[in-house]
Amino acid sequence: MSLALGRFCLSSRLWRSLSGCREALAGSRAPALRPQEVAVLHTSAVASAGHNKWSKVRHIKGPKDAARSQVFAKLTMMIKAAVREGGPNPDFNPYLYQLVEQGRQRNMPKTSIEAAIKGADKSKPTSYALYEARGPGGCYLIIEILTDKTQRSFTELQMILKKNGGTHTDALHSFAKKGVVIVQPQDQDGKPLRMEQAVDLAIQAGAEDVQETQDEEEEKDVYKYICDLSSLRDVRSQLTSLGLVPISSGPEYLPNITVQLSDADKETVFKLLELIKDHPDVMRVYDNIE
């Protein structure tokens, strides 16, 4: 369920809130990995956008423990990349801080987090890249990868797509890059958060929109606050001060053009997404399926 905050634009209160988010995300850029684009896992082994509405019809689902292990493995890769780019201290590396908090929320062992931070210098250098594709039924996919050999990863993804009704093509035009904060459906006191309250808090925090969605890995409802990327840090801080409990935060590619698929195409796309997610270099996959 999504309630766009645009309907409140006539309220002076909303205009004051929207104009109040001016703090840009801190961090430096580096050729190997652009920190502002460090991905944060949200849902399953690789969080994907746009197909939660039809994911419940799936009749094939891997063991939960295996999915959790895959999440931890990919978080480990991302933590190492964040350390190499911004240093091992989460207090001075906001992207590392987000990933560490993500690991804690996912019950990643403390020893595993510490080992990832300490072992960053010994791991292979990696670079961040996007792979754009078109899937069955005309849907578009954005695939985020973290790899030590970009061309190898691209070639392998191209083979997966070719064998499963997809192809490499421009897809960014169907997405907008936004800041996203995922929060628990209860406040810090454990009281359930109603959608009406979530909307009011979004206005106060300066978010553009709030959606009620599902965390597929944990199988529970969560709220997704959407904001301008430059306001992400401030919006998360504001939501925390308003009594909410963030699970994760980071940039996401959200669809601005969606497509409807037949049941047959949905099943085909699901199989394709699973194959893409299982690739060890893939961090996240976004789609524009309605």
Side-chain angles (χ1 to χ4, degrees):
M1 172 180 176
S2 172
L3 292 179
L5 298 184
R7 67 188 65 175
F8 295 100
C9 287
L10 294 179
S11 165
S12 60
R13 182 183 181 190
L14 174 60
W15 283 113
R16 290 195 299 270
S17 298
L18 292 176
S19 62
C21 290
R22 298 183 182 279
E23 181 180 344
L25 280 171
S28 58
R29 295 173 177 263
L33 176 68
R34 292 171 285 183
Q36 69 270 28
E37 293 185 326
V38 170
V40 182
L41 301 176
H42 285 312
T43 54
S44 61
V46 180
S48 59
H51 64 286
N52 283 341
K53 293 180 182 179
W54 56 270
S55 64
K56 293 181 181 179
V57 303
R58 301 175 183 173
H59 59 274
I60 303 174
K61 187 173 181 180
K64 192 172 182 179
D65 289 343
R68 190 179 297 272
S69 296
Q70 193 176 28
V71 170
F72 291 167
K74 298 197 178 204
L75 272 170
T76 296
M77 289 177 60
M78 295 161 68
I79 287 173
K80 289 179 178 180
V83 170
R84 287 195 299 269
E85 296 303 323
N89 190 339
D91 293 334
F92 300 101
N93 186 339
Y95 308 102
L96 176 60
Y97 175 82
Q98 291 173 6
L99 291 170
V100 169
E101 286 300 306
Q102 176 82 39
R104 289 172 178 167
Q105 290 289 341
R106 299 297 185 193
N107 296 317
M108 186 176 181
K110 182 179 179 181
T111 53
S112 298
I113 296 175
E114 293 175 345
I117 294 175
K118 292 178 180 178
D121 293 336
K122 300 177 183 178
S123 59
K124 294 181 180 180
T126 53
S127 59
Y128 171 90
L130 289 179
Y131 190 90
E132 305 171 55
R134 187 176 186 271
C139 65
Y140 287 106
L141 308 176
I142 299 292
I143 306 168
E144 288 185 331
I145 65 173
L146 199 60
T147 178
D148 59 333
K149 292 183 178 180
T150 303
Q151 190 55 52
R152 178 206 63 204
S153 300
F154 280 10
T155 299
E156 292 172 353
L157 287 173
Q158 188 174 13
M159 291 178 62
I160 292 173
L161 287 161
K162 186 176 180 180
K163 292 179 179 179
N164 294 275
T167 184
H168 174 56
T169 190
D170 293 335
L172 278 175
H173 59 83
S174 295
F175 297 83
K177 192 173 183 182
K178 292 289 185 178
V180 172
V181 183
I182 305 294
V183 305
Q184 294 183 4
Q186 303 88 23
D187 62 19
Q188 295 172 359
D189 297 324
K191 296 179 181 179
L193 183 65
R194 300 191 307 272
M195 191 62 190
E196 293 78 6
Q197 294 173 304
V199 170
D200 186 60
L201 293 174
I203 296 173
Q204 295 182 53
E208 298 175 358
D209 191 11
V210 59
Q211 301 174 357
E212 187 176 24
T213 185
Q214 189 177 63
D215 184 315
E216 292 180 17
E217 181 196 347
E218 300 297 332
E219 297 181 351
K220 64 180 182 181
D221 292 335
V222 295
Y223 285 104
K224 174 188 286 190
Y225 285 85
I226 301 169
C227 64
D228 186 84
L229 187 57
S230 64
S231 304
L232 177 59
R233 187 176 182 182
D234 184 60
V235 170
R236 174 172 177 145
S237 177
Q238 291 291 333
L239 291 172
T240 301
S241 67
L242 290 168
L244 300 187
V245 183
I247 298 173
S248 62
S249 62
E252 289 192 11
Y253 288 92
L254 304 182
N256 51 39
I257 300 174
T258 59
V259 296
Q260 290 184 334
L261 300 183
S262 66
D263 290 341
D265 282 337
K266 287 177 182 177
E267 188 65 22
T268 303
V269 170
F270 164 65
K271 293 177 181 178
L272 172 61
L273 290 174
E274 289 300 299
L275 291 170
I276 293 173
K277 293 174 186 180
D278 285 341
H279 192 286
D281 295 339
V282 172
M283 297 296 104
R284 287 196 297 183
V285 183
Y286 303 95
D287 65 65
N288 70 335
I289 301 170
E290 186 172 320

